[in-house]
Amino acid sequence: MRARRPNSREKILAAAADVARESGPGSLSLDAVASRAGVSKGGLLYNFPTKAKLMQGLVEGYLRDFEQALETANSNDDGKNPLAVYIRLSADDCEEKRPSASWIFSAIAEDPDFMTPIKTFKRQLFERLKGETSDLKSLLVCYLAIEGLRSMNLFDSDVLSKDERELLVASLLEIAGSPDAAQAPAT
């Protein structure tokens, strides 16, 4: 059985992710993405009419990947503590250094709907965790603390030391009732 060939949209998104990793998302050039993807600029613009739509496609892909990783991690945990799984996965994700996301502001200015998939994902994730967590107060504290870590990481404004982040994650796992609360994620 032959493997499915990626379509042009998938090729463009993979090329955009590569270019963004190499030069930073703010320096992403449509010409560079088209060249890397092996498509014409017209082909790129057919799939993504603006740079903001291309960036939105990258963000949507990241959200799908995170959701899949969360599903896998929950399966591996046998669904015992979805909040603790979310905390560990998110904390590990925040340890990955990424280029500053100042480009998001220009994407929002160009297309106010840029944030719609992010808002939708976060709302669905929160509602899912709410349905799987018996203590709403613990969920609120943990969810908002993790979102704070994400924001600091995203906007390159982390004020916590490695030890402070590990203490925060261990505290959140304790709040979530995780038996391995004393173990902070590997950094």
Side-chain angles (χ1 to χ4, degrees), residues 15-107:
D18 289 344
V19 171
R21 267 191 297 278
E22 292 167 8
S23 62
S27 302
L28 190 74
S29 147
L30 295 180
D31 291 322
V33 172
S35 175
R36 177 74 61 95
V39 300
S40 67
K41 188 169 181 183
L44 184 148
L45 292 172
Y46 174 81
N47 285 281
F48 301 98
T50 65
K51 184 176 175 180
K53 289 295 184 192
L54 177 60
M55 298 307 293
Q56 187 175 5
L58 285 174
V59 169
E60 289 169 349
Y62 166 79
L63 296 175
R64 275 191 306 277
D65 291 347
F66 183 82
E67 187 170 18
Q68 181 60 47
L70 189 59
E71 289 292 329
T72 301
N74 269 322
S75 294
N76 293 342
D77 190 53
D78 296 325
K80 292 178 195 157
N81 192 333
L83 182 55
V85 168
Y86 164 74
I87 292 166
R88 281 191 295 272
L89 184 64
S90 297
D92 288 347
D93 190 49
C94 287
E95 290 300 316
E96 292 181 25
K97 285 293 174 206
R98 292 184 176 82
S100 175
S102 56
W103 58 269
I104 286 177
F105 299 120
S106 60

Coordinates of all heavy atoms in Angstrom, one line a residue, residues 15-107:
A15 N 6.5 23.7 4.6 CA 7.6 24.6 4.2 C 7.5 25.9 5.1 O 8.6 26.4 5.5 CB 7.4 25.0 2.8
A16 N 6.3 26.4 5.4 CA 6.2 27.6 6.2 C 6.8 27.3 7.6 O 7.4 28.2 8.2 CB 4.8 28.0 6.3
A17 N 6.5 26.1 8.2 CA 7.0 25.8 9.5 C 8.5 25.8 9.5 O 9.2 26.3 10.4 CB 6.4 24.5 9.9
D18 N 9.1 25.2 8.4 CA 10.6 25.1 8.3 C 11.1 26.5 8.2 O 12.1 26.9 8.9 CB 11.0 24.3 7.0 CG 10.7 22.8 7.2 OD1 10.5 22.4 8.3 OD2 10.7 22.1 6.2
V19 N 10.6 27.4 7.3 CA 11.1 28.7 7.1 C 10.9 29.5 8.4 O 11.8 30.2 8.8 CB 10.4 29.4 5.9 CG1 10.7 30.9 5.9 CG2 10.7 28.7 4.6
A20 N 9.8 29.4 9.1 CA 9.6 30.1 10.4 C 10.6 29.7 11.4 O 11.1 30.5 12.2 CB 8.1 29.9 10.8
R21 N 10.9 28.4 11.5 CA 11.9 27.9 12.5 C 13.2 28.5 12.2 O 14.0 28.8 13.1 CB 11.9 26.4 12.5 CG 11.0 25.7 13.5 CD 11.3 24.2 13.6 NE 11.1 23.5 12.4 CZ 9.9 23.0 12.0 NH1 8.9 23.2 12.7 NH2 9.8 22.3 10.8
E22 N 13.6 28.6 10.9 CA 14.9 29.0 10.5 C 15.1 30.5 10.7 O 16.1 31.0 11.1 CB 15.2 28.6 9.0 CG 15.4 27.2 8.9 CD 15.3 26.7 7.4 OE1 15.3 27.6 6.5 OE2 15.3 25.5 7.1
S23 N 14.1 31.3 10.3 CA 14.2 32.8 10.3 C 13.3 33.5 11.2 O 13.4 34.7 11.4 CB 14.0 33.3 8.8 OG 12.6 33.0 8.4
G24 N 12.5 32.8 11.9 CA 11.5 33.4 12.9 C 10.2 33.7 12.1 O 10.3 34.2 11.0
P25 N 9.1 33.5 12.8 CA 7.8 33.7 12.1 C 7.6 35.2 11.6 O 7.0 35.4 10.6 CB 6.8 33.4 13.2 CG 7.5 32.6 14.2 CD 8.9 33.0 14.1
G26 N 8.2 36.1 12.3 CA 8.0 37.5 11.9 C 8.8 37.8 10.6 O 8.5 38.8 9.9
S27 N 9.7 37.0 10.2 CA 10.5 37.2 9.0 C 10.1 36.3 7.9 O 10.7 36.2 6.9 CB 12.0 36.9 9.3 OG 12.5 37.8 10.3
L28 N 8.9 35.6 8.1 CA 8.4 34.7 7.1 C 8.1 35.4 5.8 O 7.4 36.4 5.8 CB 7.2 34.0 7.6 CG 6.6 32.8 6.8 CD1 7.5 31.6 7.1 CD2 5.2 32.5 7.3
S29 N 8.6 34.9 4.7 CA 8.4 35.5 3.4 C 7.6 34.5 2.6 O 7.9 33.3 2.5 CB 9.8 35.8 2.7 OG 9.7 35.6 1.3
L30 N 6.5 35.0 1.9 CA 5.7 34.2 1.1 C 6.5 33.6 -0.1 O 6.3 32.4 -0.5 CB 4.5 34.9 0.5 CG 3.5 35.4 1.6 CD1 2.4 36.1 0.9 CD2 3.0 34.2 2.4
D31 N 7.5 34.4 -0.6 CA 8.3 33.9 -1.7 C 9.2 32.7 -1.2 O 9.3 31.7 -1.9 CB 9.2 35.0 -2.2 CG 8.4 36.0 -3.0 OD1 7.5 35.6 -3.7 OD2 8.8 37.2 -2.9
A32 N 9.7 32.8 0.0 CA 10.6 31.8 0.5 C 9.8 30.5 0.8 O 10.2 29.4 0.5 CB 11.3 32.2 1.8
V33 N 8.5 30.7 1.3 CA 7.7 29.5 1.5 C 7.3 28.8 0.2 O 7.4 27.6 0.1 CB 6.4 29.9 2.3 CG1 5.4 28.8 2.4 CG2 6.8 30.4 3.7
A34 N 6.9 29.6 -0.8 CA 6.6 29.0 -2.1 C 7.7 28.2 -2.7 O 7.6 27.1 -3.1 CB 6.1 30.1 -3.0
S35 N 8.9 28.9 -2.6 CA 10.1 28.2 -3.1 C 10.4 26.9 -2.4 O 10.6 25.9 -3.0 CB 11.3 29.2 -3.0 OG 12.5 28.5 -3.4
R36 N 10.3 26.9 -1.1 CA 10.6 25.7 -0.2 C 9.6 24.7 -0.5 O 9.9 23.5 -0.5 CB 10.6 26.1 1.2 CG 10.8 25.0 2.2 CD 12.3 24.5 2.3 NE 13.2 25.4 2.7 CZ 13.6 25.6 3.9 NH1 13.2 24.9 4.9 NH2 14.5 26.5 4.2
A37 N 8.3 25.1 -0.7 CA 7.3 24.1 -0.9 C 7.2 23.5 -2.4 O 6.6 22.5 -2.6 CB 5.9 24.7 -0.6
G38 N 8.0 24.2 -3.3 CA 8.0 23.8 -4.7 C 6.7 24.1 -5.4 O 6.2 23.4 -6.3
V39 N 6.0 25.2 -5.0 CA 4.8 25.7 -5.6 C 5.0 27.1 -6.1 O 5.9 27.8 -5.6 CB 3.6 25.6 -4.7 CG1 3.3 24.2 -4.2 CG2 3.7 26.5 -3.5
S40 N 4.2 27.6 -7.0 CA 4.3 28.9 -7.4 C 3.7 29.8 -6.3 O 3.0 29.4 -5.5 CB 3.5 29.1 -8.7 OG 2.1 29.0 -8.5
K41 N 4.0 31.1 -6.4 CA 3.5 32.0 -5.4 C 2.0 32.1 -5.6 O 1.2 32.2 -4.6 CB 4.1 33.4 -5.6 CG 3.7 34.4 -4.4 CD 4.5 35.6 -4.4 CE 4.1 36.5 -3.3 NZ 4.8 37.8 -3.2
G42 N 1.5 32.0 -6.8 CA 0.0 31.9 -7.1 C -0.6 30.7 -6.4 O -1.7 30.8 -5.9
G43 N 0.1 29.6 -6.5 CA -0.4 28.4 -5.8 C -0.5 28.6 -4.3 O -1.4 28.1 -3.7
L44 N 0.5 29.2 -3.8 CA 0.5 29.5 -2.3 C -0.7 30.4 -2.0 O -1.4 30.2 -1.1 CB 1.8 30.2 -1.9 CG 2.0 30.4 -0.4 CD1 3.4 30.3 0.0 CD2 1.5 31.8 0.0
L45 N -0.8 31.5 -2.8 CA -1.9 32.5 -2.5 C -3.3 31.9 -2.7 O -4.3 32.3 -2.1 CB -1.7 33.7 -3.4 CG -0.5 34.6 -3.0 CD1 -0.2 35.7 -4.0 CD2 -0.6 35.1 -1.6
Y46 N -3.4 30.9 -3.6 CA -4.7 30.2 -3.8 C -5.1 29.5 -2.5 O -6.2 29.5 -2.1 CB -4.6 29.1 -4.9 CG -5.8 28.3 -5.1 CD1 -6.9 28.8 -5.7 CD2 -5.9 27.0 -4.5 CE1 -8.0 28.0 -5.9 CE2 -7.0 26.2 -4.7 CZ -8.1 26.7 -5.3 OH -9.2 26.0 -5.5
N47 N -4.1 28.9 -1.8 CA -4.4 28.1 -0.6 C -4.4 29.1 0.7 O -5.2 28.8 1.6 CB -3.3 27.1 -0.3 CG -3.4 25.9 -1.2 OD1 -4.3 25.0 -1.0 ND2 -2.7 25.8 -2.3
F48 N -3.6 30.1 0.6 CA -3.5 31.1 1.7 C -3.4 32.5 1.2 O -2.3 32.9 0.8 CB -2.2 30.8 2.6 CG -2.3 29.4 3.2 CD1 -1.5 28.4 2.6 CD2 -3.0 29.1 4.3 CE1 -1.5 27.1 3.1 CE2 -3.0 27.8 4.9 CZ -2.3 26.8 4.3
P49 N -4.6 33.2 1.0 CA -4.6 34.4 0.4 C -3.8 35.6 1.0 O -3.5 36.5 0.3 CB -6.1 34.8 0.4 CG -6.8 33.6 0.8 CD -5.9 32.7 1.5
T50 N -3.4 35.4 2.3 CA -2.6 36.4 2.9 C -1.6 35.7 3.8 O -1.7 34.5 4.2 CB -3.5 37.3 3.8 OG1 -4.0 36.6 4.9 CG2 -4.6 38.0 3.1
K51 N -0.6 36.5 4.2 CA 0.4 35.9 5.1 C -0.3 35.6 6.5 O 0.1 34.6 7.1 CB 1.5 37.0 5.3 CG 2.7 36.5 6.2 CD 3.7 37.6 6.2 CE 4.8 37.2 7.2 NZ 5.9 38.2 7.2
A52 N -1.2 36.4 6.9 CA -1.9 36.1 8.1 C -2.7 34.8 8.1 O -2.7 34.0 9.0 CB -2.9 37.3 8.5
K53 N -3.3 34.5 6.9 CA -4.0 33.2 6.8 C -3.0 32.0 6.8 O -3.3 31.0 7.3 CB -4.8 33.1 5.5 CG -6.0 34.0 5.5 CD -7.0 33.6 6.5 CE -8.3 34.4 6.5 NZ -9.1 34.2 7.6
L54 N -1.8 32.2 6.2 CA -0.8 31.2 6.3 C -0.3 31.0 7.8 O -0.2 29.8 8.2 CB 0.5 31.6 5.5 CG 1.7 30.7 5.5 CD1 1.3 29.3 5.0 CD2 2.8 31.2 4.6
M55 N -0.1 32.1 8.5 CA 0.2 32.0 9.9 C -0.9 31.3 10.7 O -0.6 30.5 11.6 CB 0.6 33.3 10.5 CG 1.7 34.0 9.8 SD 3.2 33.0 9.7 CE 3.7 32.9 11.4
Q56 N -2.1 31.6 10.4 CA -3.3 31.0 11.0 C -3.2 29.5 10.8 O -3.5 28.7 11.7 CB -4.6 31.6 10.6 CG -5.8 31.2 11.3 CD -7.0 31.9 10.9 OE1 -7.0 32.7 10.0 NE2 -8.1 31.6 11.6
G57 N -2.9 29.1 9.6 CA -2.8 27.7 9.2 C -1.7 27.0 10.1 O -1.9 25.9 10.5
L58 N -0.6 27.7 10.3 CA 0.5 27.1 11.1 C 0.0 26.9 12.6 O 0.2 25.9 13.2 CB 1.7 28.0 11.1 CG 2.5 28.0 9.9 CD1 3.6 29.0 9.9 CD2 3.2 26.6 9.7
V59 N -0.7 28.0 13.1 CA -1.2 27.9 14.5 C -2.3 26.8 14.6 O -2.2 26.0 15.6 CB -1.9 29.3 14.9 CG1 -2.6 29.2 16.2 CG2 -0.8 30.3 15.0
E60 N -3.1 26.6 13.6 CA -4.1 25.6 13.7 C -3.4 24.2 13.7 O -3.9 23.3 14.4 CB -5.1 25.7 12.5 CG -6.0 26.8 12.6 CD -6.8 27.1 11.3 OE1 -6.5 26.5 10.3 OE2 -7.8 27.9 11.4
G61 N -2.4 24.1 12.9 CA -1.6 22.8 12.9 C -1.0 22.5 14.3 O -1.0 21.4 14.8
Y62 N -0.4 23.6 14.9 CA 0.1 23.4 16.2 C -1.0 23.0 17.2 O -0.7 22.1 18.0 CB 0.8 24.7 16.7 CG 1.0 24.7 18.2 CD1 2.2 24.0 18.7 CD2 0.2 25.3 19.1 CE1 2.4 24.0 20.0 CE2 0.4 25.2 20.5 CZ 1.5 24.6 20.9 OH 1.8 24.5 22.3
L63 N -2.1 23.6 17.1 CA -3.2 23.2 18.0 C -3.7 21.8 17.8 O -3.9 21.0 18.8 CB -4.4 24.2 17.9 CG -4.1 25.6 18.2 CD1 -5.4 26.5 17.9 CD2 -3.7 25.8 19.7
R64 N -3.7 21.3 16.5 CA -4.1 19.9 16.3 C -3.0 19.0 16.9 O -3.4 17.9 17.4 CB -4.2 19.7 14.8 CG -5.6 20.0 14.2 CD -5.7 19.5 12.8 NE -4.7 20.0 11.9 CZ -4.6 21.2 11.2 NH1 -5.6 22.0 11.4 NH2 -3.6 21.5 10.4
D65 N -1.8 19.3 16.7 CA -0.7 18.5 17.2 C -0.8 18.4 18.7 O -0.6 17.3 19.3 CB 0.7 19.0 16.8 CG 0.9 18.9 15.3 OD1 0.2 18.1 14.6 OD2 1.9 19.5 14.8
F66 N -1.0 19.6 19.4 CA -1.1 19.6 20.9 C -2.3 18.7 21.3 O -2.2 17.9 22.2 CB -1.3 21.0 21.4 CG -1.3 21.0 22.9 CD1 -0.1 21.0 23.6 CD2 -2.5 21.1 23.6 CE1 -0.2 21.0 25.0 CE2 -2.6 21.1 25.0 CZ -1.4 21.0 25.7
E67 N -3.4 18.8 20.6 CA -4.6 18.0 21.0 C -4.3 16.5 20.8 O -4.7 15.7 21.7 CB -5.8 18.4 20.1 CG -7.1 17.8 20.5 CD -8.3 18.4 19.8 OE1 -8.2 19.0 18.8 OE2 -9.4 18.2 20.3
Q68 N -3.6 16.2 19.7 CA -3.3 14.8 19.5 C -2.3 14.3 20.6 O -2.5 13.2 21.2 CB -2.6 14.6 18.2 CG -2.3 13.1 17.9 CD -3.5 12.2 17.9 OE1 -4.5 12.5 17.3 NE2 -3.4 11.1 18.6
A69 N -1.4 15.1 21.0 CA -0.4 14.7 22.1 C -1.2 14.6 23.4 O -0.9 13.7 24.2 CB 0.7 15.8 22.2
L70 N -2.2 15.4 23.6 CA -3.0 15.4 24.9 C -3.8 14.1 24.9 O -3.9 13.4 25.9 CB -3.9 16.6 25.0 CG -4.6 16.8 26.3 CD1 -3.7 16.9 27.4 CD2 -5.5 18.0 26.2
E71 N -4.4 13.7 23.7 CA -5.1 12.5 23.6 C -4.2 11.3 23.9 O -4.6 10.4 24.7 CB -5.7 12.3 22.2 CG -6.9 13.2 21.9 CD -8.1 13.0 22.7 OE1 -8.4 11.8 23.1 OE2 -8.8 13.9 23.0
T72 N -3.1 11.2 23.3 CA -2.1 10.1 23.5 C -1.7 10.1 25.0 O -1.7 9.0 25.6 CB -0.9 10.3 22.6 OG1 -1.3 10.4 21.2 CG2 0.1 9.2 22.8
A73 N -1.4 11.2 25.6 CA -0.9 11.2 27.0 C -2.1 10.8 27.9 O -1.8 10.0 28.9 CB -0.4 12.6 27.3
N74 N -3.3 11.2 27.6 CA -4.4 10.7 28.4 C -4.6 9.2 28.3 O -4.9 8.6 29.3 CB -5.7 11.5 28.0 CG -5.9 12.7 28.8 OD1 -5.6 12.8 30.0 ND2 -6.4 13.8 28.2
S75 N -4.5 8.7 27.1 CA -4.6 7.3 26.9 C -3.5 6.5 27.7 O -3.8 5.5 28.3 CB -4.5 6.9 25.4 OG -5.6 7.4 24.7
N76 N -2.3 7.0 27.7 CA -1.2 6.4 28.4 C -1.4 6.5 29.9 O -0.9 5.6 30.6 CB 0.1 7.0 28.0 CG 0.5 6.8 26.6 OD1 0.0 5.9 25.9 ND2 1.4 7.6 26.1
D77 N -2.2 7.5 30.3 CA -2.5 7.6 31.8 C -3.8 6.9 32.1 O -4.2 7.0 33.3 CB -2.6 9.1 32.1 CG -2.7 9.4 33.6 OD1 -1.8 8.9 34.3 OD2 -3.6 10.1 34.0
D78 N -4.4 6.2 31.2 CA -5.7 5.6 31.4 C -6.8 6.5 31.9 O -7.7 6.1 32.5 CB -5.6 4.4 32.4 CG -4.7 3.3 31.8 OD1 -4.7 3.1 30.6 OD2 -3.9 2.7 32.7
G79 N -6.6 7.8 31.5 CA -7.6 8.8 31.9 C -7.8 9.0 33.3 O -8.8 9.6 33.8
K80 N -6.8 8.7 34.1 CA -6.9 8.8 35.6 C -7.0 10.2 36.1 O -7.7 10.6 37.0 CB -5.7 8.1 36.3 CG -5.7 6.6 36.1 CD -4.5 6.0 36.8 CE -4.3 4.6 36.3 NZ -2.9 4.2 36.5
N81 N -6.2 11.1 35.5 CA -6.1 12.5 35.9 C -5.8 13.4 34.7 O -4.7 13.8 34.5 CB -5.1 12.7 37.0 CG -5.2 14.0 37.7 OD1 -5.7 15.0 37.1 ND2 -4.8 14.1 39.0
P82 N -6.9 13.7 33.9 CA -6.7 14.5 32.7 C -6.1 15.9 33.0 O -5.3 16.4 32.2 CB -8.1 14.7 32.2 CG -8.9 13.5 32.7 CD -8.2 13.2 34.1
L83 N -6.4 16.5 34.2 CA -5.8 17.8 34.5 C -4.3 17.7 34.7 O -3.6 18.5 34.2 CB -6.5 18.4 35.8 CG -6.0 19.8 36.2 CD1 -6.2 20.8 35.1 CD2 -6.8 20.2 37.4
A84 N -3.9 16.7 35.4 CA -2.4 16.5 35.6 C -1.7 16.2 34.3 O -0.6 16.7 34.1 CB -2.2 15.3 36.6
V85 N -2.4 15.4 33.4 CA -1.8 15.2 32.1 C -1.6 16.5 31.3 O -0.6 16.8 30.7 CB -2.7 14.2 31.3 CG1 -2.3 14.1 29.8 CG2 -2.6 12.8 31.9
Y86 N -2.7 17.3 31.4 CA -2.6 18.7 30.7 C -1.5 19.5 31.3 O -0.8 20.2 30.5 CB -4.0 19.3 30.9 CG -4.0 20.8 30.6 CD1 -3.9 21.3 29.3 CD2 -4.0 21.7 31.6 CE1 -3.8 22.7 29.0 CE2 -4.0 23.1 31.4 CZ -3.9 23.6 30.1 OH -3.8 24.9 29.8
I87 N -1.3 19.5 32.6 CA -0.3 20.3 33.2 C 1.1 19.8 32.8 O 1.9 20.6 32.4 CB -0.4 20.2 34.8 CG1 -1.7 20.9 35.2 CG2 0.8 20.8 35.5 CD1 -2.1 20.7 36.7
R88 N 1.3 18.5 32.9 CA 2.6 18.0 32.5 C 2.9 18.3 31.0 O 4.0 18.7 30.7 CB 2.7 16.5 32.8 CG 3.0 16.1 34.2 CD 3.3 14.7 34.4 NE 2.2 13.8 34.0 CZ 1.2 13.4 34.9 NH1 1.2 13.8 36.1 NH2 0.2 12.6 34.5
L89 N 2.0 18.0 30.1 CA 2.2 18.2 28.7 C 2.4 19.7 28.4 O 3.3 20.0 27.6 CB 1.0 17.7 27.9 CG 1.1 17.7 26.4 CD1 2.2 16.9 25.9 CD2 -0.2 17.3 25.8
S90 N 1.7 20.5 29.0 CA 1.8 22.0 28.8 C 3.1 22.5 29.3 O 3.8 23.3 28.7 CB 0.6 22.7 29.4 OG -0.6 22.4 28.8
A91 N 3.5 22.0 30.5 CA 4.8 22.5 31.1 C 5.9 22.0 30.2 O 6.9 22.8 30.0 CB 4.9 22.0 32.5
D92 N 5.9 20.8 29.7 CA 6.9 20.3 28.8 C 7.0 21.2 27.6 O 8.0 21.5 27.1 CB 6.7 18.9 28.5 CG 7.0 17.9 29.6 OD1 7.6 18.4 30.6 OD2 6.6 16.7 29.6
D93 N 5.8 21.5 27.0 CA 5.7 22.3 25.8 C 6.3 23.7 26.0 O 6.9 24.2 25.1 CB 4.2 22.4 25.4 CG 4.0 22.9 24.0 OD1 4.7 22.5 23.1 OD2 3.2 23.9 23.9
C94 N 6.1 24.2 27.2 CA 6.6 25.6 27.5 C 8.1 25.6 27.7 O 8.7 26.6 27.6 CB 5.9 26.1 28.8 SG 4.2 26.6 28.5
E95 N 8.7 24.4 27.9 CA 10.2 24.4 28.0 C 10.9 24.5 26.6 O 12.0 24.9 26.6 CB 10.6 23.1 28.6 CG 10.2 23.0 30.1 CD 10.9 24.0 30.9 OE1 12.1 24.3 30.8 OE2 10.2 24.6 31.8
E96 N 10.1 24.3 25.6 CA 10.7 24.4 24.2 C 10.9 25.9 23.9 O 9.9 26.6 24.0 CB 9.8 23.7 23.2 CG 9.8 22.2 23.3 CD 8.9 21.6 22.2 OE1 8.7 22.2 21.2 OE2 8.4 20.5 22.5
K97 N 12.1 26.3 23.6 CA 12.3 27.7 23.2 C 11.8 27.9 21.8 O 12.0 27.1 20.9 CB 13.8 28.0 23.3 CG 14.3 28.2 24.7 CD 13.7 29.4 25.3 CE 14.0 29.5 26.7 NZ 13.0 30.3 27.5
R98 N 11.0 29.0 21.7 CA 10.5 29.4 20.4 C 10.9 30.9 20.1 O 11.1 31.6 21.0 CB 9.0 29.3 20.4 CG 8.5 27.9 20.5 CD 7.0 27.8 20.4 NE 6.5 26.5 20.4 CZ 6.4 25.7 21.5 NH1 6.7 26.2 22.7 NH2 5.9 24.5 21.4
P99 N 10.9 31.2 18.8 CA 11.1 32.7 18.5 C 10.0 33.5 19.1 O 8.9 33.0 19.3 CB 11.1 32.7 17.0 CG 11.1 31.3 16.5 CD 10.7 30.4 17.6
S100 N 10.3 34.7 19.4 CA 9.3 35.6 20.0 C 8.1 35.7 19.0 O 8.2 35.6 17.8 CB 9.9 37.0 20.1 OG 8.9 37.9 20.5
A101 N 6.9 35.8 19.6 CA 5.7 35.8 18.8 C 5.1 37.2 18.6 O 3.9 37.4 18.4 CB 4.6 34.9 19.5
S102 N 6.0 38.2 18.5 CA 5.5 39.6 18.3 C 4.8 39.6 16.9 O 4.0 40.5 16.7 CB 6.7 40.5 18.3 OG 7.7 40.2 17.4
W103 N 5.1 38.7 16.0 CA 4.4 38.7 14.7 C 2.9 38.5 14.8 O 2.2 38.9 13.9 CB 5.0 37.6 13.8 CG 4.9 36.2 14.5 CD1 5.8 35.6 15.3 CD2 3.8 35.3 14.4 NE1 5.3 34.4 15.7 CE2 4.1 34.2 15.2 CE3 2.6 35.4 13.7 CZ2 3.2 33.1 15.3 CZ3 1.7 34.3 13.9 CH2 2.0 33.2 14.7
I104 N 2.5 37.9 16.0 CA 1.1 37.7 16.2 C 0.3 39.1 16.1 O -0.8 39.1 15.6 CB 0.8 37.0 17.5 CG1 1.2 35.5 17.4 CG2 -0.7 37.1 17.9 CD1 1.0 34.7 18.6
F105 N 0.9 40.1 16.6 CA 0.2 41.4 16.6 C -0.1 41.9 15.2 O -1.1 42.4 14.9 CB 1.0 42.4 17.4 CG 1.2 42.0 18.9 CD1 2.5 41.9 19.4 CD2 0.1 41.8 19.7 CE1 2.6 41.5 20.7 CE2 0.2 41.5 21.0 CZ 1.5 41.3 21.5
S106 N 0.9 41.7 14.3 CA 0.7 42.2 12.9 C -0.3 41.3 12.2 O -1.1 41.7 11.4 CB 2.0 42.2 12.1 OG 2.6 41.0 12.1
A107 N -0.3 40.0 12.6 CA -1.3 39.0 12.0 C -2.7 39.4 12.5 O -3.7 39.4 11.7 CB -1.0 37.6 12.4

